Amino acid sequence: IEYAGANDQSFAQGSAALLALAEFSISAKHVQRVTERLGAERGAAQDRQVEEFKADRLEPRYQDTPAIAVVQVDAGKLQLRTADGSPGVREPHWGDTKVACLASYPPHELPIDPQPEPPAAFLDRTFVPRLCAEMERVRSHPADIPPKERRESDALERLEKPEARKSPQPLLRTAVATMGNAESFGYQVATEAHLRNFYQAAKRAVLGDGGNWITPLGDTHFPGWTQILDFLHLLVHLFAASGCAFGESSARAWTLYTKLLCWAWQGQVQEVVRELERHLERIGHPPADAKDNDPREILRLAIKYVRDNEARMNYPAFRRDGLPVTSALVESLIKQFNQRAKGTEKFWTGKGAEAILRSRAAYLSQDDRAARHFDHRPRGRAVGGGRLGRVA
């Protein structure tokens, strides 16, 4: 029941699937109750592990230590409603989800950069706007995205295809997801890294978008690890800045973008900064009260973004060490969470959202944790109003 509730598009579809595939009749509401109860159980078990980790009493789950351990973190959104017991959607609003992808990789080290030139997709004039639009759609709500860009795209899936990747393929991926704040999320991710022996790996990296909560998370819970600025987010900033410098969709904007993109891929950060500054001088600095969509302000923020993350942009060295430089894995993972939890007609209570994220994370992890939970959970009471007998 939990599998259907956590992985089908809705509880109603989960109910229909159980009837068609298992000849088991159960209402959508009952599927919801069971799924959310088990999701809450999984969350409580994870929270106990966090407390054991903080007290230095938690033993790693895996005996083997990965050669390369990478933690990718990012955020998404889903719709919430007030849980006041009344029927219908009350006080709808958007909430932030935080997602981590923990991936292990085989040993890999080369004396030269294995991919000195950017992937062809990053220089594809048709593909790049689609990629930028899809990344915006993954983490935004529909009102933030122009209608023409709301269509589904396979841009991230294209980046994940083996022929598009020259870096080593991940061996095992596990997921962490929550509606909690950055502090609680940081401890959840650190606990999962400890359980997987990531702190003992020969090479360790944290990959994120350079956001104001991601960098402190890396500094606090993964000190000494290599910090990498996600190249996909950098690409989005460079593409937007180029459009602001010459006008969106113009040939000169695309020429500027390709120049900046190649410099960034090769780790020539100062060249990127100087070129962006030159164009900011040309079009003029933004006034103090500039709006967020002012091209001058967008260009100024792009320069600040590159400067602030210069230490995380040594991409040739990262590739030589066998480390990923894009967040394609976690971006794809967020899309998988969104497929279940995000939609124009999906409104969650806070507890319901947290429960579905915990269950979904268990089933999206590529180990046995989803099934293992049932080997250890105590026999509980049945779910539903008035059903207080022990489960058989």
Side-chain angles (χ1 to χ4, degrees):
I1 295 171
E2 185 200 23
Y3 181 92
N7 292 290
D8 276 305
Q9 291 285 321
S10 66
F11 294 121
Q13 289 187 16
S15 171
L18 287 166
L19 181 61
L21 301 175
E23 298 181 357
F24 177 57
S25 179
I26 180 173
S27 71
K29 190 64 177 179
H30 202 166
V31 172
Q32 177 181 351
R33 292 192 185 107
V34 171
T35 303
E36 291 184 356
R37 175 170 178 168
L38 287 167
E41 285 183 8
R42 293 182 186 277
Q46 290 174 324
D47 293 343
R48 288 193 295 271
Q49 289 179 333
V50 168
E51 294 306 312
E52 293 177 8
F53 172 72
K54 290 179 179 179
D56 199 25
R57 295 197 306 267
L58 186 65
E59 294 295 326
R61 182 188 303 130
Y62 292 82
Q63 297 302 314
D64 295 335
T65 299
I68 299 176
V70 179
V71 175
Q72 299 186 18
V73 291
D74 211 336
K77 287 185 179 294
L78 52 72
Q79 293 185 108
L80 299 172
R81 62 180 175 85
T82 299
D84 60 2
S86 303
V89 176
R90 307 287 181 183
E91 299 181 19
H93 57 282
W94 288 90
D96 293 326
T97 60
K98 296 177 179 63
V99 176
C101 174
L102 293 90
S104 56
Y105 293 81
H108 180 93
E109 187 168 358
L110 295 172
I112 60 173
D113 185 351
Q115 193 175 5
E117 298 301 324
F122 293 169
L123 299 174
D124 184 327
R125 194 167 182 176
T126 301
F127 174 80
V128 170
R130 285 174 42 222
L131 174 63
C132 294
E134 179 170 353
M135 289 185 63
E136 181 65 21
R137 181 178 56 79
V138 164
R139 63 186 36 78
S140 301
H141 56 80
D144 291 338
I145 308 168
K148 66 179 181 180
E149 296 178 354
R150 292 184 194 173
R151 61 184 177 81
E152 289 293 330
S153 169
D154 61 354
L156 291 171
E157 281 77 1
R158 173 178 170 181
L159 295 182
E160 275 301 287
K161 292 180 179 179
E163 60 268 21
R165 294 167 53 92
K166 293 188 179 181
S167 59
Q169 297 296 297
L171 298 173
L172 178 68
R173 178 197 74 187
T174 56
V176 174
T178 185
M179 295 290 296
N181 58 29
E183 181 181 3
S184 63
F185 176 64
Y187 276 108
Q188 290 177 32
V189 178
T191 299
E192 177 66 15
H194 171 76
L195 288 170
R196 293 194 56 191
N197 255 335
F198 272 25
Y199 287 95
Q200 307 305 317
K203 296 178 183 178
R204 298 158 292 176
V206 179
L207 196 155
D209 65 2
N212 57 6
W213 64 275
I214 292 179
T215 298
L217 184 151
D219 293 339
T220 300
H221 296 286
F222 305 100
W225 290 39
T226 299
Q227 292 208 25
I228 302 173
L229 176 67
D230 168 41
F231 196 83
L232 294 181
H233 281 85
L234 176 61
L235 178 153
V236 171
H237 280 272
L238 297 180
F239 183 71
S242 299
C244 292
F246 285 112
E248 188 176 349
S249 302
S250 73
R252 288 192 297 175
W254 180 254
T255 299
L256 174 59
Y257 161 77
T258 58
K259 182 193 300 183
L260 296 172
L261 190 283
C262 291
W263 278 336
W265 183 261
Q266 294 161 2
Q268 299 181 47
V269 182
Q270 289 304 314
E271 294 293 337
V272 174
V273 171
R274 279 193 288 267
E275 187 70 7
L276 288 174
E277 287 179 336
R278 186 170 71 83
H279 289 288
L280 182 60
E281 291 292 336
R282 178 176 57 80
I283 68 173
H285 290 263
D289 60 348
K291 297 184 180 300
D292 292 343
N293 61 355
D294 187 316
R296 297 166 297 177
E297 179 67 2
I298 294 173
L299 192 50
R300 182 190 71 82
L301 290 175
I303 295 170
K304 183 178 185 302
Y305 184 77
V306 175
R307 282 177 172 165
D308 290 348
N309 290 285
E310 180 176 0
R312 303 176 182 88
M313 294 173 60
N314 192 357
Y315 298 115
F318 302 151
R319 291 191 293 270
R320 288 195 300 270
D321 284 340
L323 299 172
V325 298
T326 75
S327 64
L329 276 180
V330 74
E331 293 284 343
S332 178
L333 194 62
I334 290 176
K335 281 189 65 175
Q336 291 175 281
F337 278 101
N338 287 350
Q339 287 167 0
R340 177 60 188 93
K342 185 179 178 182
T344 56
E345 298 181 355
K346 294 180 180 179
F347 296 87
W348 302 88
T349 64
K351 289 183 178 180
E354 187 68 18
I356 200 69
L357 290 175
R358 301 291 184 115
S359 285
R360 186 80 168 132
Y363 287 102
L364 289 174
S365 295
Q366 297 171 333
D367 59 7
D368 63 345
R369 68 186 58 198
R372 190 174 63 246
H373 178 73
F374 296 99
D375 296 333
H376 302 287
R377 70 180 295 268
R379 294 171 63 187
R381 296 185 183 278
V383 179
R387 296 188 174 98
L388 298 179
R390 302 292 289 182
V391 175

